[in-house]
Amino acid sequence: VSPELQVVLIAAASSGGVGLLGALLLRVSKRGSLRWTLLLLGVVAVAAMVAGVVATARAMFLSQHDLGVVEVVCGVTAAVTLGTCWLVSRWISAASAALGRAVRSLDVEHGQYQAAPNSLGAELDAVSRALAETSERLAASRERERTLEASRRELVAWVSHDLRTPLAGLRAMSEALEDGLVDDPGRYHRQLRVEVDRLAGMVDDLFELSRIQSGALRLSLTEVAVDDLISDALAGAEPLASNRGVRLTGASGAPLLIAADAGEMSRVLANLLFNAIRHTPADGSVRVVATADRPSGDVVVTVADECGGIPDADLPRVFEPAWRGTHARTPGPNGGAGLGLAIVRGIVEAHRGAVRVANIAGGCEFELRLPALHAQA
Ligand SMILES: Nc1ncnc2c1ncn2[C@@H]1O[C@H](COP(=O)(O)OP(=O)(O)OP(=O)(O)O)[C@@H](O)[C@H]1O
Ligand SMILES: [Mg+2]
């Protein structure tokens, strides 16, 4: 056996023995703290190295002096390395403790999070950033939930109030009929019929809105010609318009197609037209125009009336459920529950479109923007 091979064998045997022992210890301590594991790793590495060097040095029969030097060098290196190990393990355990505190500070209920200081090392910093993002998302979704919940409560309160008034009227009329106290029963019957229709419409709107808000609205999309939608809506609104002396006009540039649920989209146009007619004085006019927006290809439908404008402060609120202008928390003779525009917005957004309102000269204009057919397909 050559002397070089001897050296290799002695070094391997002695450091390997220590290393093996260390590996066993590390395995046993795997469930211990990160810090102790790191320290142990340092000790094992140093001990294996020292064992190898010292064993080889002794076997090579160095002079007493040289052996002493080797041992001193080994001792000093071991001390320095272990010191460094100790320091690093402290940093790492401090960083993981900081991250632990940050995790415990995450308050899901209030979406609060006390971020860890940004110097934990790349991996822990990444975890800490991910936590911060999660906590922001949590806070945002909590906030959304809270506003939705508040608006739902408000809606229920207002609508039940709105239902109570006509119900009280119905009861009074039916009691008067029952008691035979009425001179003109025909008029009462007609009035009963009108009120019942209005209530049915309100309940229907409420049902539609709750389907929209709960995400249960299922659109059956087909290829729909915008011209047909508009002419049907105009025909449906004509009786109300002529009754009120309002002129209805419609125009469209070219034949336009959208992918839409025809029934729901008709409801949108009807709601916009009825609002426009109701807010336009006799002899005024309501105009519906459809155009294709270039270059996006979006189909834009506008309904313009002569309502005299909506106060600027009210413009952002008109689409809120149950909101119906400054005057009147009680429905007028043909006033609704204030659900029409909330339904419009819900249906249009379910079609991945958008609706907005703006004041124009003498009135206001509602604009529907719907993605072109090819964009939806
Ligand atoms: N074309 C319009 N011109 C002027 N104001 C309007 C117009 N459309 C809506 N508004 C205002 O916005 C409010 C909300 O409209 P929305 O259609 O949601 O409810 P509503 O018409 O009062 O009741 P509903 O539609 O449920 O029968 C109206 O009460 C009205 O004050
Ligand atoms: Mg309306």
Side-chain angles (χ1 to χ4, degrees), residues 205 275-276 278-279 305 307 310 318 323-325 336-342 364 366:
D205 278 354
N275 279 351
R278 235 184 259 148
H279 291 93
D305 63 19
C307 67
I310 298 174
V318 293
W323 188 89
R324 53 186 173 206
L339 305 180
L341 288 177
C364 57
F366 286 81

Short mmCIF file of all heavy atoms in Angstrom, two decimals, residues 205 275-276 278-279 305 307 310 318 323-325 336-342 364 366, ligand 1:
data_model
loop_
_atom_site.label_atom_id
_atom_site.label_comp_id
_atom_site.label_asym_id
_atom_site.label_seq_id
_atom_site.Cartn_x
_atom_site.Cartn_y
_atom_site.Cartn_z
N ASP A 205 -88.90 41.88 -10.02
CA ASP A 205 -87.61 42.60 -10.05
C ASP A 205 -86.71 42.15 -8.92
O ASP A 205 -85.50 41.97 -9.09
CB ASP A 205 -87.84 44.12 -9.91
CG ASP A 205 -88.22 44.75 -11.25
OD1 ASP A 205 -88.17 44.02 -12.27
OD2 ASP A 205 -88.55 45.94 -11.26
N ASN A 275 -87.64 54.24 -17.79
CA ASN A 275 -87.09 55.35 -17.00
C ASN A 275 -87.07 56.63 -17.81
O ASN A 275 -87.51 57.69 -17.34
CB ASN A 275 -85.65 55.03 -16.57
CG ASN A 275 -85.59 54.13 -15.36
OD1 ASN A 275 -86.61 53.86 -14.73
ND2 ASN A 275 -84.40 53.68 -15.03
N ALA A 276 -86.54 56.53 -19.04
CA ALA A 276 -86.38 57.73 -19.87
C ALA A 276 -87.73 58.37 -20.14
O ALA A 276 -87.90 59.59 -20.04
CB ALA A 276 -85.67 57.37 -21.18
N ARG A 278 -90.49 58.05 -18.38
CA ARG A 278 -91.08 58.55 -17.15
C ARG A 278 -90.49 59.88 -16.71
O ARG A 278 -91.15 60.68 -16.06
CB ARG A 278 -90.86 57.52 -16.03
CG ARG A 278 -92.14 57.11 -15.37
CD ARG A 278 -91.82 56.18 -14.25
NE ARG A 278 -92.07 54.79 -14.63
CZ ARG A 278 -91.37 53.76 -14.15
NH1 ARG A 278 -90.36 53.98 -13.33
NH2 ARG A 278 -91.67 52.55 -14.51
N HIS A 279 -89.23 60.13 -17.07
CA HIS A 279 -88.58 61.36 -16.63
C HIS A 279 -88.57 62.44 -17.69
O HIS A 279 -87.96 63.48 -17.50
CB HIS A 279 -87.16 61.07 -16.15
CG HIS A 279 -87.12 60.27 -14.88
ND1 HIS A 279 -87.02 58.91 -14.87
CD2 HIS A 279 -87.21 60.65 -13.59
CE1 HIS A 279 -87.04 58.47 -13.62
NE2 HIS A 279 -87.16 59.51 -12.82
N ASP A 305 -82.59 60.99 -23.08
CA ASP A 305 -83.92 61.55 -22.81
C ASP A 305 -83.83 63.05 -22.58
O ASP A 305 -82.79 63.66 -22.78
CB ASP A 305 -84.55 60.84 -21.60
CG ASP A 305 -83.75 61.06 -20.33
OD1 ASP A 305 -82.95 62.01 -20.29
OD2 ASP A 305 -83.92 60.26 -19.38
N CYS A 307 -84.76 64.62 -19.57
CA CYS A 307 -85.18 64.70 -18.17
C CYS A 307 -84.70 65.98 -17.49
O CYS A 307 -85.07 66.25 -16.35
CB CYS A 307 -84.65 63.49 -17.40
SG CYS A 307 -82.86 63.49 -17.24
N ILE A 310 -79.58 64.80 -14.35
CA ILE A 310 -79.58 64.23 -13.00
C ILE A 310 -78.52 65.00 -12.20
O ILE A 310 -77.44 65.24 -12.72
CB ILE A 310 -79.21 62.72 -13.06
CG1 ILE A 310 -80.26 61.96 -13.87
CG2 ILE A 310 -79.07 62.14 -11.66
CD1 ILE A 310 -79.92 60.49 -14.11
N VAL A 318 -77.19 56.20 -9.14
CA VAL A 318 -78.43 55.73 -9.77
C VAL A 318 -78.47 54.21 -9.95
O VAL A 318 -79.55 53.64 -10.00
CB VAL A 318 -78.69 56.42 -11.14
CG1 VAL A 318 -78.97 57.88 -10.97
CG2 VAL A 318 -77.54 56.18 -12.08
N TRP A 323 -82.15 52.69 -4.85
CA TRP A 323 -81.96 54.14 -4.84
C TRP A 323 -82.88 54.75 -5.87
O TRP A 323 -82.97 54.30 -7.00
CB TRP A 323 -80.50 54.48 -5.17
CG TRP A 323 -80.23 55.95 -4.98
CD1 TRP A 323 -79.81 56.56 -3.84
CD2 TRP A 323 -80.39 56.98 -5.95
NE1 TRP A 323 -79.71 57.91 -4.03
CE2 TRP A 323 -80.05 58.20 -5.31
CE3 TRP A 323 -80.79 57.01 -7.27
CZ2 TRP A 323 -80.10 59.43 -5.98
CZ3 TRP A 323 -80.84 58.23 -7.93
CH2 TRP A 323 -80.49 59.43 -7.28
N ARG A 324 -83.62 55.79 -5.51
CA ARG A 324 -84.49 56.42 -6.52
C ARG A 324 -84.63 57.92 -6.33
O ARG A 324 -85.72 58.43 -6.15
CB ARG A 324 -85.84 55.76 -6.57
CG ARG A 324 -86.46 55.72 -5.25
CD ARG A 324 -87.74 54.95 -5.25
NE ARG A 324 -88.14 54.84 -3.88
CZ ARG A 324 -88.87 53.89 -3.40
NH1 ARG A 324 -89.33 52.96 -4.17
NH2 ARG A 324 -89.18 53.88 -2.14
N GLY A 325 -83.49 58.58 -6.39
CA GLY A 325 -83.55 60.04 -6.40
C GLY A 325 -83.73 60.62 -5.02
O GLY A 325 -84.01 59.91 -4.06
N GLY A 336 -91.34 52.86 -9.02
CA GLY A 336 -91.00 51.48 -8.70
C GLY A 336 -90.20 51.44 -7.42
O GLY A 336 -90.21 52.38 -6.63
N ALA A 337 -89.51 50.35 -7.25
CA ALA A 337 -88.74 50.14 -6.02
C ALA A 337 -87.32 50.65 -6.16
O ALA A 337 -86.54 50.55 -5.23
CB ALA A 337 -88.74 48.67 -5.67
N GLY A 338 -86.98 51.17 -7.33
CA GLY A 338 -85.60 51.63 -7.53
C GLY A 338 -84.67 50.49 -7.85
O GLY A 338 -83.47 50.55 -7.58
N LEU A 339 -85.21 49.43 -8.43
CA LEU A 339 -84.38 48.25 -8.74
C LEU A 339 -83.97 48.22 -10.20
O LEU A 339 -83.05 47.50 -10.58
CB LEU A 339 -85.16 46.97 -8.41
CG LEU A 339 -85.71 46.85 -6.99
CD1 LEU A 339 -86.45 45.54 -6.83
CD2 LEU A 339 -84.57 46.94 -5.98
N GLY A 340 -84.68 49.00 -11.04
CA GLY A 340 -84.51 48.89 -12.50
C GLY A 340 -83.07 49.00 -12.96
O GLY A 340 -82.56 48.15 -13.69
N LEU A 341 -82.38 50.04 -12.51
CA LEU A 341 -81.02 50.27 -13.00
C LEU A 341 -80.02 49.30 -12.39
O LEU A 341 -79.03 48.95 -13.02
CB LEU A 341 -80.60 51.72 -12.73
CG LEU A 341 -81.30 52.75 -13.63
CD1 LEU A 341 -80.89 54.16 -13.25
CD2 LEU A 341 -81.01 52.50 -15.10
N ALA A 342 -80.29 48.84 -11.16
CA ALA A 342 -79.41 47.83 -10.57
C ALA A 342 -79.49 46.55 -11.39
O ALA A 342 -78.47 45.88 -11.63
CB ALA A 342 -79.81 47.57 -9.12
N CYS A 364 -80.38 63.33 -19.90
CA CYS A 364 -79.27 62.45 -19.58
C CYS A 364 -79.23 61.30 -20.57
O CYS A 364 -80.19 61.04 -21.28
CB CYS A 364 -79.36 61.97 -18.14
SG CYS A 364 -80.89 61.12 -17.78
N PHE A 366 -77.94 57.23 -21.05
CA PHE A 366 -77.40 55.97 -20.54
C PHE A 366 -76.72 55.26 -21.70
O PHE A 366 -77.28 55.18 -22.79
CB PHE A 366 -78.51 55.10 -19.95
CG PHE A 366 -79.00 55.59 -18.62
CD1 PHE A 366 -79.91 56.63 -18.53
CD2 PHE A 366 -78.50 55.04 -17.45
CE1 PHE A 366 -80.34 57.10 -17.30
CE2 PHE A 366 -78.92 55.51 -16.20
CZ PHE A 366 -79.83 56.54 -16.14
N1 LIG B 1 -83.72 58.43 -17.57
C1 LIG B 1 -83.66 58.98 -16.35
N2 LIG B 1 -83.72 60.31 -16.21
C2 LIG B 1 -83.65 60.86 -15.00
N3 LIG B 1 -83.49 60.19 -13.84
C3 LIG B 1 -83.44 58.86 -13.92
C4 LIG B 1 -83.50 58.18 -15.18
N4 LIG B 1 -83.39 56.87 -14.96
C5 LIG B 1 -83.28 56.73 -13.62
N5 LIG B 1 -83.29 57.90 -13.00
C6 LIG B 1 -83.18 58.13 -11.54
O1 LIG B 1 -82.57 56.98 -10.98
C7 LIG B 1 -83.44 56.38 -10.02
C8 LIG B 1 -83.26 54.88 -10.04
O2 LIG B 1 -83.79 54.33 -11.24
P1 LIG B 1 -84.30 52.84 -11.26
O3 LIG B 1 -84.76 52.52 -12.63
O4 LIG B 1 -83.24 52.00 -10.66
O5 LIG B 1 -85.51 52.85 -10.25
P2 LIG B 1 -87.00 53.34 -10.46
O6 LIG B 1 -87.23 53.64 -11.88
O7 LIG B 1 -87.23 54.44 -9.48
O8 LIG B 1 -87.82 52.08 -9.99
P3 LIG B 1 -88.01 50.68 -10.81
O9 LIG B 1 -87.13 50.78 -11.99
O10 LIG B 1 -87.61 49.63 -9.84
O11 LIG B 1 -89.43 50.60 -11.16
C9 LIG B 1 -84.82 56.84 -10.41
O12 LIG B 1 -85.69 56.82 -9.30
C10 LIG B 1 -84.53 58.25 -10.89
O13 LIG B 1 -84.40 59.15 -9.79
#
